[in-house]
């Protein structure tokens, strides 16, 4: 079990390490880095290269935004093979609907609990 935690930490930490290097060494905004990582996840899943990373890193590979890109791509691939070309439009949404729904729900709950305000610079 300790080895599993180490693997998750190494993979997730490496993804965060890459993002931090991009933040420090480039002029990329954090939103551009998120989109880049999302697209990398989509490309790696499309080339069938992300499964070995998930097998090794488990949640360290599936929880970051790269894993979200993988889930989008996997949903599209599955839906296209079962439903045809219209699966391009529905597959990604169907595979990520639970996570998106949970994010919206919990965001609403926390907005009710806490007093949000704009950050002063």
């Amino acid at each position: 079990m300790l080895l599993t935690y180490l693997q998750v930490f190494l993979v997730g930490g490496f993804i965060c390490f890459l993002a931090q290097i991009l933040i420090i060494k480039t002029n990329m905004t954090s939103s551009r880095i998120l989109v880049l990582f999302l697209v990398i996840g989509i490309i790696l899943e499309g080339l069938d290269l992300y499964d070995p990373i998930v097998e090794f890193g488990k949640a360290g590979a599936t929880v970051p935004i790269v894993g979200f890109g993988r889930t989008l791509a996997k949903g599209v691939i599955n839906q296209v093979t079962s439903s045809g070309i219209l699966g391009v439009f529905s597959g990604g949404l169907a595979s990520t609907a639970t996570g998106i729904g949970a994010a919206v729900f919990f965001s609403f709950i926390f907005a009710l609990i806490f007093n949000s305000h704009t950050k002063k610079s």
Side-chain angles (χ1 to χ4, degrees), residues 36-59:
L36 174 68
F37 278 30
L38 181 81
V39 171
I40 288 171
I42 292 170
I43 291 170
L44 288 175
E45 181 60 32
L47 297 174
D48 204 24
L49 298 174
Y50 207 74
D51 284 337
I53 299 169
V54 170
E55 286 177 23
F56 177 78
K58 297 169 185 48

Side-chain angles (χ1 to χ4, degrees), residues 107-120:
S107 298
F108 177 72
I109 295 299
F110 282 109
L112 291 176
I113 294 171
F114 297 102
N115 184 17
S116 63
H117 56 334
T118 356
K119 189 175 181 180
K120 295 178 181 140

